[in-house]
C-alpha cells in the first residue's frame, strides 16, 4: 500500500483537481474482492485499472447511489476514493524558470491554470504602472509587454492626447523630462518579476505572462507626485468614458521610499494613495531594508494609513522575515518572498535579485492577476464601483495569506503572500454565499482547574483567532491560529480568577461563542 500512497501524493504534486466526478469511484481491495458490483444500488459499469492489484473504476447512475456504495465498500475494508477530472499544472517553458523557486513556493502554476494575465473576462486590458529608477525597454523578455498609449502617435513630436506629455507612448521619464526611460538594473528587475513575458521559450516568467507595463522613471518626491497624477488621470478617463479612452490601470508598484520618515511629513505624496484608490487602483510598496520596526522608526510610504496601499516586507525561503527587512505590526500588511528572486537585467541579461524591492512586485503582480477573476459581480463592480472592487482585491490578498508563526508579531496579517489562495478567496467573496456555522467540536476540561483546550473547524478563509474574555468583557487571552482548520488550541487558564469566561473562535468577521468555567 505504501507505494500507492506515494504515487498518489506525487500525482497531486503535478495535477490540480478541477472537478469532482461525484458518481464515480476508484476502489482498491487489499486482499480480495468481497462485494459484487452488480449488487450495489445504481451500479452501471466497471473497468479494471491495474493488472497486478484489484483496483477498479465504478460508475453509478446518481451521486446519491455512489455515496451509498462508498459507505458499503468502506465497511467491507475497501480503500475508496471519488474520481476527479484533472488538468496538468501550467508551468511556463521559459529557460530560466527553474531558477525562480519563489514562483513554485507561491503556487503560481495552480493560479496560471485559471489566468495568466493580460485581459479580463470582460475584455479590459490590465495595465500595471511601475515607478522606478529606469528600465531597459528593449529587453527581449519585456518589450512585448509594454503598454502602448493608443491616443499617442509615436515620435511625431505632438501631444496627440493633449495631456501635457509629448510622445508619451509607454509612460514618461520624469527625470529626463522625455518619453523614454534610461536603462537601469533595479527597475528592469522589478518589472521582470511582475510582468516578464511568460511561456515564450526565453528568459524568465513574470507573475503575469501577458501584461501592459506603464513605465515611469522617477528620482524625487516631486517625480512621484507627478507620476501618480498621470496614472490617476488615465484611469479617471477610462472610467468616465466606459473604457473608450484612457487606461485600465489596476495596480502600481513602489519599490522605493524614504527610511525613517513619517508619512505626516509628506501630505501631498501620501494623499495620492487615496486618490488612486478612489478611481480603483491599489499600490504595493516595499518597506525599508533595515532591521527595525517602522512603527517606531518610520518609513515612507509604507507607514501611510491608506486602505489602498499594501505595505510589503521581505521573506526568506521558509516564509520568515528576511534578516535585513524592516517590519511593523501596525504598518506592514504582509511579507512576500523577495529574497532568492531571479529576474531580468539590462541588455537581455538575467540574474539574481532580492531585498524588499523584489518583494513588492509579487504583490503588485497578484493584484493584476486577481483583476482577471471571472466573477461577473466583480467584473461589473469594476465599472459601477471601482473603489469597492479595489478593496475586494485587497481583502482577498490580506485575508488569504499563508500564516507563518514568526510573522504573527511582525506584520498585520501575520503571514506571507499566497496568490493561489487569494484567487480562491475571490471565489468565496464572489459567491457571496452564506457560510456554515463555526463548529466547536470539543472544549475541555470544562470546568478547568488548570489549562484547557478547544477544537474547532470552519469553512471560511480566516484570519483565525481564539479569544478569552472575563465576566466584564475584558479580553484576557488571544492567540492567532497559524494552521488551517480543523485546529486544536490550548487555553492557558493558570493564574486566572475563578469564574465563567466567554471563549470566542473568530474566522474573519464571523465568530462562534462558548463558555468556559475556571475553578
Amino acid at each position: 500500500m505504501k507505494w500507492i500512497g506515494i504515487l498518489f501524493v506525487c500525482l497531486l504534486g503535478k495535477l490540480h483537481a478541477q472537478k469532482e466526478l461525484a458518481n464515480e469511484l476508484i476502489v482498491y481491495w487489499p486482499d480480495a474482492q468481497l462485494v459484487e458490483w452488480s449488487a450495489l444500488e445504481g451500479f452501471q459499469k466497471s473497468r479494471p485499472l491495474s493488472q497486478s492489484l484489484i483496483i477498479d473504476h465504478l460508475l453509478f447512475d446518481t451521486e446519491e447511489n455512489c455515496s451509498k456504495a462508498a459507505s458499503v465498500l468502506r465497511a467491507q475494508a475497501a480503500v475508496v476514493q471519488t474520481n476527479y477530472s484533472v488538468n496538468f499544472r501550467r508551468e511556463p517553458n521559459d529557460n530560466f524558470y527553474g531558477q525562480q523557486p519563489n514562483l513554485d513556493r507561491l503556487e503560481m502554476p495552480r493560479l496560471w491554470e485559471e489566468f495568466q494575465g493580460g485581459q479580463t473576462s470582460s475584455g479590459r486590458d490590465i495595465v500595471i504602472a511601475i515607478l522606478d529608477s529606469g528600465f531597459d525597454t528593449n529587453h527581449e523578455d519585456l518589450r512585448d509587454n509594454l503598454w502602448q498609449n493608443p491616443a499617442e502617435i509615436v515620435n511625431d513630436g505632438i501631444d496627440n492626447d493633449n495631456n501635457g506629455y509629448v510622445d508619451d507612448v509607454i509612460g514618461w521619464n520624469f527625470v529626463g523630462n522625455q518619453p523614454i526611460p534610461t536603462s537601469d538594473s533595479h527597475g528592469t528587475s522589478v518589472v521582470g518579476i511582475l510582468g516578464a513575458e511568460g511561456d515564450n521559450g526565453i528568459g524568465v516568467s513574470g507573475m503575469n505572462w501577458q501584461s501592459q507595463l506603464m513605465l515611469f522613471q522617477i528620482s524625487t518626491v516631486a517625480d512621484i507626485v507627478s507620476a501618480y497624477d498621470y496614472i490617476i488621470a488615465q484611469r479617471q478617463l477610462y472610467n468616465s468614458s466606459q473604457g473608450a479612452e484612457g487606461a485600465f490601470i489596476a495596480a502600481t508598484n513602489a519599490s522605493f521610499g524614504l527610511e525613517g520618515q513619517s508619512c505626516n511629513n509628506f501630505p501631498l505624496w501620501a494623499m495620492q494613495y487615496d486618490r488612486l484608490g478612489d478611481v480603483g487602483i491599489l499600490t504595493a510598496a516595499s518597506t525599508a531594508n533595515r532591521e527595525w520596526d517602522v512603527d517606531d522608526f518610520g518609513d515612507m510610504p509604507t507607514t501611510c494609513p491608506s486602505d489602498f496601499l499594501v505595505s510589503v516586507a521581505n521573506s526568506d525561503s521558509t516564509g520568515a522575515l528576511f534578516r535585513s527587512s524592516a517590519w511593523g505590526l501596525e504598518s506592514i500588511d504582509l511579507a512576500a518572498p523577495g529574497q532568492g528572486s531571479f529576474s531580468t537585467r539590462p541588455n537581455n541579461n538575467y540574474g539574481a535579485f532580492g531585498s524588499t524591492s523584489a518583494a513588492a512586485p509579487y504583490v503588485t503582480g497578484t493584484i493584476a492577476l486577481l483583476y482577471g477573476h471571472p466573477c461577473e459581480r466583480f467584473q461589473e463592480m469594476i465599472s459601477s464601483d471601482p473603489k469597492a472592487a479595489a478593496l475586494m482585491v485587497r481583502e482577498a490578498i490580506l485575508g488569504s495569506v499563508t500564516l507563518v508563526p514568526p510573522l504573527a508579531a511582525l506584520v498585520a496579517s501575520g503571514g506571507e503572500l499566497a496568490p493561489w489562495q487569494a484567487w480562491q478567496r475571490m471565489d468565496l467573496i464572489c459567491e457571496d454565499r452564506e457560510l456554515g456555522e463555526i463548529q466547536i467540536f470539543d472544549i475541555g476540561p470544562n470546568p478547568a482547574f488548570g489549562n484547557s483546550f478547544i477544537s474547532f473547524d470552519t469553512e471560511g478563509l480566516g484570519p483565525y483567532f481564539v479569544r478569552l474574555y472575563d465576566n466584564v468583557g475584558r479580553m484576557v487571552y488571544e492567540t492567532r491560529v497559524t494552521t488551517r482548520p480543523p485546529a486544536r488550541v490550548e487555553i492557558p487558564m493558570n493564574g486566572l480568577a475563578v469564574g465563567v469566561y466567554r471563549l470566542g473562535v473568530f474566522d474573519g468577521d464571523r465568530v462562534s461563542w462558548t463558555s468556559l468555567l475556571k475553578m
Side-chain angles (χ1 to χ4, degrees), residues 261-271 273 298-306 309:
Q261 292 287 348
S262 169
C263 184
N264 295 330
N265 294 334
F266 299 90
L268 300 181
W269 177 0
M271 75 178 188
Y273 296 109
D299 187 66
M300 185 66 196
T302 60
T303 58
C304 292
S306 173
L309 178 70

Side-chain angles (χ1 to χ4, degrees), residues 496-507:
L496 295 180
V498 172
V500 177
Y501 292 80
R502 293 190 77 206
L503 186 61
V505 177
F506 293 77
D507 174 5

Side-chain angles (χ1 to χ4, degrees), residues 72-383:
V72 171
L73 295 169
R74 289 191 179 101
Q76 296 292 332
V79 179
V80 182
Q81 67 181 50
T82 305
N83 197 19
Y84 279 78
S85 64
V86 297
N87 286 335
F88 284 94
R89 294 180 66 185
R90 191 76 185 268
E91 292 189 357
N93 61 11
D94 306 275
N95 53 6
F96 289 132
Y97 178 74
Q99 298 189 50
Q100 296 181 275
N102 289 345
L103 296 178
D104 275 337
R105 276 193 58 220
L106 296 174
E107 296 188 277
M108 290 308 301
R110 300 185 73 178
L111 200 161
W112 287 330
E113 287 179 19
E114 308 293 340
F115 186 60
Q116 301 90 42
Q119 195 174 77
T120 70
S121 59
S122 52
R124 299 179 178 92
D125 291 323
I126 301 171
V127 181
I128 308 168
I130 304 96
L131 285 64
D132 218 291
S133 52
F135 315 90
D136 181 357
T137 57
N138 290 315
H139 196 287
E140 61 183 359
D141 226 2
L142 300 175
R143 60 191 174 212
D144 290 340
N145 274 354
L146 300 184
W147 174 68
Q148 300 293 315
N149 186 348
E152 198 72 27
I153 298 173
V154 181
N155 295 328
D156 69 347
I158 300 172
D159 181 12
N160 304 106
D161 55 4
N162 296 310
N163 67 350
Y165 299 93
V166 176
D167 293 333
D168 54 319
V169 179
I170 61 173
W172 194 255
N173 178 351
F174 285 96
V175 178
N177 194 30
Q178 61 187 22
I180 305 300
T182 58
S183 182
D184 181 85
S185 179
H186 187 275
T188 302
S189 294
V190 166
V191 295
I193 290 174
L194 64 89
E197 187 176 358
D199 207 37
N200 63 344
I202 60 172
V204 295
S205 175
M207 296 283 284
N208 294 258
W209 293 2
Q210 293 87 41
S211 57
Q212 294 200 17
L213 307 171
M214 182 184 284
L215 307 180
F216 299 95
Q217 185 170 347
I218 56 96
S219 65
T220 69
V221 173
D223 297 339
I224 294 166
V225 172
S226 294
Y228 284 146
D229 200 68
Y230 182 109
I231 293 163
I232 292 165
Q234 285 285 342
R235 180 63 191 269
Q236 280 178 328
L237 186 58
Y238 182 92
N239 293 347
S240 62
S241 68
Q242 289 77 52
E245 300 177 85
F248 176 58
I249 306 164
T252 79
N253 191 85
S255 290
F256 54 82
L258 294 174
E259 297 172 355
Q261 292 287 348
S262 169
C263 184
N264 295 330
N265 294 334
F266 299 90
L268 300 181
W269 177 0
M271 75 178 188
Q272 297 291 58
Y273 296 109
D274 280 342
R275 292 187 65 222
L276 288 161
D278 285 341
V279 297
I281 302 172
L282 292 174
T283 296
S286 61
T287 194
N289 290 298
R290 295 283 189 173
E291 297 180 54
W292 65 34
D293 186 338
V294 296
D295 293 341
D296 294 329
F297 288 91
D299 187 66
M300 185 66 196
T302 60
T303 58
C304 292
S306 173
D307 288 337
F308 302 95
L309 178 70
V310 181
S311 299
V312 189
N314 182 22
S315 54
D316 62 21
S317 60
T318 70
L321 193 76
F322 187 66
R323 62 181 180 273
S324 65
S325 174
W327 65 91
L329 188 57
E330 180 179 342
S331 299
I332 307 304
D333 294 299
L334 79 170
Q339 214 55 33
S341 297
F342 194 85
S343 188
T344 46
R345 285 184 171 178
N347 303 315
N348 294 335
N349 290 319
Y350 304 86
F353 187 51
S355 77
T356 60
S357 286
Y362 288 104
V363 179
T364 307
T366 300
I367 294 169
L369 287 168
L370 294 188
Y371 268 91
H373 195 282
C375 169
E376 290 185 12
R377 186 169 72 92
F378 172 64
Q379 291 298 324
E380 290 170 0
M381 189 183 295
I382 291 172
S383 297

Side-chain angles (χ1 to χ4, degrees), residues 7-39:
L7 174 62
F8 186 61
V9 170
C10 290
L11 284 172
L12 284 180
K14 288 294 183 183
L15 301 173
H16 165 46
Q18 293 295 298
K19 182 181 179 182
E20 180 181 10
L21 303 177
N23 64 332
E24 300 181 26
L25 295 177
I26 300 173
V27 182
Y28 167 64
W29 292 95
D31 297 316
Q33 182 174 330
L34 301 177
V35 175
E36 286 291 335
W37 305 142
S38 58

Side-chain angles (χ1 to χ4, degrees), residues 339-465:
Q339 214 55 33
S341 297
F342 194 85
S343 188
T344 46
R345 285 184 171 178
N347 303 315
N348 294 335
N349 290 319
Y350 304 86
F353 187 51
S355 77
T356 60
S357 286
Y362 288 104
V363 179
T364 307
T366 300
I367 294 169
L369 287 168
L370 294 188
Y371 268 91
H373 195 282
C375 169
E376 290 185 12
R377 186 169 72 92
F378 172 64
Q379 291 298 324
E380 290 170 0
M381 189 183 295
I382 291 172
S383 297
S384 63
D385 194 346
K387 182 176 179 178
L391 291 175
M392 182 184 291
V393 171
R394 174 190 169 90
E395 196 280 331
I397 290 173
L398 298 183
S400 63
V401 296
T402 297
L403 298 173
V404 182
L407 294 178
L410 300 175
V411 300
S413 68
E416 185 182 44
L417 175 71
W420 168 238
Q421 291 171 199
W423 184 274
Q424 291 177 300
R425 192 171 182 89
M426 287 289 287
D427 288 336
L428 185 64
I429 295 170
C430 283
E431 287 176 15
D432 199 24
R433 62 184 173 89
E434 194 70 31
L435 296 176
E437 294 287 331
I438 299 172
Q439 296 176 292
I440 296 177
F441 295 131
D442 196 10
I443 179 171
N446 189 14
F449 293 88
N451 291 343
S452 188
F453 73 89
I454 185 170
S455 297
F456 71 94
D457 195 5
T458 172
E459 59 183 352
L461 293 174
Y464 315 105
F465 292 91

